[in-house]
Amino acid sequence: MASQKKDKPEHKRDRLQQPLVMPGIHRYQFFSDISDRPLTKNLNRAAMLAIGTALAVDALKPLIGGVPQTLYCYECRACYGTQDRCPVGIGLQAELTVSARVADYERFLRAGGLKCVRCGNCRSFCVVNLDLPRIYSTMQQRTIAAMQRGAIRRQAIQHAYDDGLVGRQFIDRVAQWLEQESG
Ligand code: SF4
Ligand code: SF4
C-alpha cells in the first residue's frame, strides 16, 4: 500500500516538495488545496462550462446574423461623437451596433436604424474602426425581413413609422405592411 502511494506521481500542487519562492510559501502553493475541496472543483468545472456555453451562444448570434464585427464593439459609445455629422440625426450609433449584435429589431427601430443612409460619417468615430454602415445595412435588411415574417410587434413598427424613424428607402414597404396588417 505504502509502495503504491509512493508510485503515484506527485501533483505539482502537492506543494511541500516544491521549492520556496518566498519565506513560508512554496511554489504552486494555494491557501486551500484543491484536493481538500472536491465539490467546489466540480462546481468550478460546471461554472466554466456554463460560461463557455454562454459565450459561444453570444458569439453565435452575430455570426449567424452576418454581423460578426459587432463582437468587437466595446460599448464605449465613442461613436456618439458623430453628433450633427449624421445626416439623419441618429445620436445613438452604439445602440444600433449592439442591437445588431443581439438581433434586437425593436431596439434597432427605436434608435432609428431604418433611417440610416449608410453614409459612413460615424465610422471614423469608432475606436475599433468597425464597418458601421455595413453592419447597419445588414441589420436593416434583417429588420425588414423580420417585420415581413411577423417577428416584430406591430405596435413597435407603428411607433417607428409615426415617429419618423423609417427612412425613404423603407417607407413604402413599412407602410404597405402596416396597411396589410390593419386590413
Ligand atoms: S452611417 Fe448611418 S448612423 Fe452613421 S452617420 Fe451615416 S446615417 Fe448616421
Ligand atoms: S465607438 Fe465603436 S466600439 Fe465604441 S460603442 Fe461605438 S461602435 Fe462600439
Side-chain angles (χ1 to χ4, degrees):
M1 191 72 182
S3 78
Q4 257 182 5
K5 198 170 181 183
K6 203 175 174 190
D7 291 345
K8 196 178 159 195
E10 288 281 359
H11 192 282
K12 66 184 175 189
R13 290 195 184 98
D14 290 344
R15 64 278 180 203
L16 295 181
Q17 286 78 28
Q18 294 288 338
L20 285 171
V21 286
M22 286 178 73
I25 301 176
H26 292 268
R27 188 165 66 179
Y28 302 129
Q29 181 177 0
F30 291 84
F31 282 110
S32 62
D33 192 287
I34 210 155
S35 63
D36 298 330
R37 43 191 173 99
L39 264 181
T40 54
K41 189 168 64 177
N42 287 329
L43 282 176
N44 286 346
R45 286 181 182 140
M48 289 312 290
L49 186 69
I51 291 168
T53 309
L55 283 175
V57 169
D58 279 354
L60 223 56
K61 234 178 184 178
L63 289 177
I64 292 171
V67 286
Q69 278 196 8
T70 57
L71 282 169
Y72 295 99
C73 173
Y74 288 136
E75 304 186 19
C76 64
R77 297 170 175 80
C79 45
Y80 290 179
T82 310
Q83 304 242 336
D84 57 5
R85 292 181 192 84
C86 175
V88 291
I90 292 172
L92 306 175
Q93 281 78 9
E95 279 286 309
L96 301 185
T97 311
V98 173
S99 58
R101 178 165 69 197
V102 299
D104 186 337
Y105 305 114
E106 294 194 12
R107 189 171 171 185
F108 186 76
L109 279 169
R110 281 196 304 274
L114 287 187
K115 273 198 313 185
C116 170
V117 291
R118 304 168 306 279
C119 65
N121 287 356
C122 50
R123 188 179 171 163
S124 60
F125 290 89
C126 177
V127 291
V128 283
N129 199 28
L130 299 182
D131 191 349
L132 297 179
R134 189 167 172 185
I135 291 168
Y136 302 158
S137 170
T138 304
M139 188 59 177
Q140 286 175 333
Q141 298 308 324
R142 294 195 68 207
T143 303
I144 293 294
M147 175 191 80
Q148 284 168 340
R149 66 171 187 273
I152 307 179
R153 287 178 308 130
R154 186 188 187 284
Q155 196 186 19
I157 310 267
Q158 187 73 57
H159 276 150
Y161 182 79
D162 293 344
D163 294 348
L165 297 175
V166 181
R168 195 175 56 177
Q169 186 186 352
F170 303 105
I171 195 85
D172 288 347
R173 273 181 279 178
V174 171
Q176 204 178 27
W177 184 85
L178 283 170
E179 208 176 296
Q180 270 172 18
E181 289 296 303
S182 60

